[in-house]
Amino acid sequence: MITEENLAQQFTLIIEQAHPRAWKILRHCYVKVLNSRSKGAYIAHAKYIRIYCPDRLIAAVVAEKDLLIEVAEYLGLVEVVCLNATNLLHDPKSQLKKAYPQLWLDLMWIVTQKQES
């Protein structure tokens, strides 16, 4: 069985090897594959990709979204969702740190890294 982690690695590997321009941006983001929360029978087992981006990169990632969707569909993923990690971390009502401490730490790491060219 292919795990969500394995799919995320395959996605990033394809981007890195086949689309270096997009990889320059995506390597500063956190990529996670999740199961769809839809209750419909058809997409109950569907997976989608969530890309957490620092505030400074969200526009650049969204500009590459068509390419990211194409790669995701190639891997059998149904959707690409881009989220602003900086906003998530600074939201005073967020329960992210308490509910998902490892994700919170990973997002904190990507948000605080300096962008290399």
Side-chain angles (χ1 to χ4, degrees):
M1 177 182 248
I2 297 176
T3 65
E4 286 84 4
E5 185 176 312
N6 185 272
L7 281 170
Q9 289 173 349
Q10 288 179 27
F11 178 83
T12 56
L13 184 62
I14 291 170
I15 297 295
E16 180 180 8
Q17 292 179 353
H19 307 286
R21 184 193 57 192
W23 175 246
K24 278 184 146 182
I25 301 163
L26 197 64
R27 69 183 180 157
H28 299 286
C29 300
Y30 182 81
V31 176
K32 187 166 182 69
V33 173
L34 301 163
N35 285 317
S36 177
R37 295 183 184 196
S38 177
K39 295 180 182 178
Y42 174 68
I43 54 176
H45 300 291
K47 295 181 186 318
Y48 70 99
I49 197 150
R50 190 179 280 182
I51 303 172
Y52 297 91
C53 313
D55 191 44
R56 67 184 183 277
L57 295 177
I58 191 79
V61 172
V62 170
E64 296 290 339
K65 194 161 180 185
D66 288 339
L67 171 69
L68 300 174
I69 289 170
E70 183 180 321
V71 173
E73 287 175 348
Y74 173 76
L75 293 171
L77 303 169
V78 295
E79 189 175 356
V80 175
V81 177
C82 300
L83 296 171
N84 188 322
T86 307
N87 289 351
L88 283 172
L89 292 173
H90 294 105
D91 181 357
K93 294 183 179 181
S94 174
Q95 296 294 313
L96 187 65
K97 184 176 181 179
K98 186 177 183 181
Y100 304 101
Q102 184 61 51
L103 176 60
W104 184 84
L105 285 171
D106 291 337
L107 296 183
M108 185 62 76
W109 184 81
I110 66 156
V111 166
T112 59
Q113 295 301 302
K114 300 251 190 263
Q115 182 179 355
E116 304 166 8
S117 24

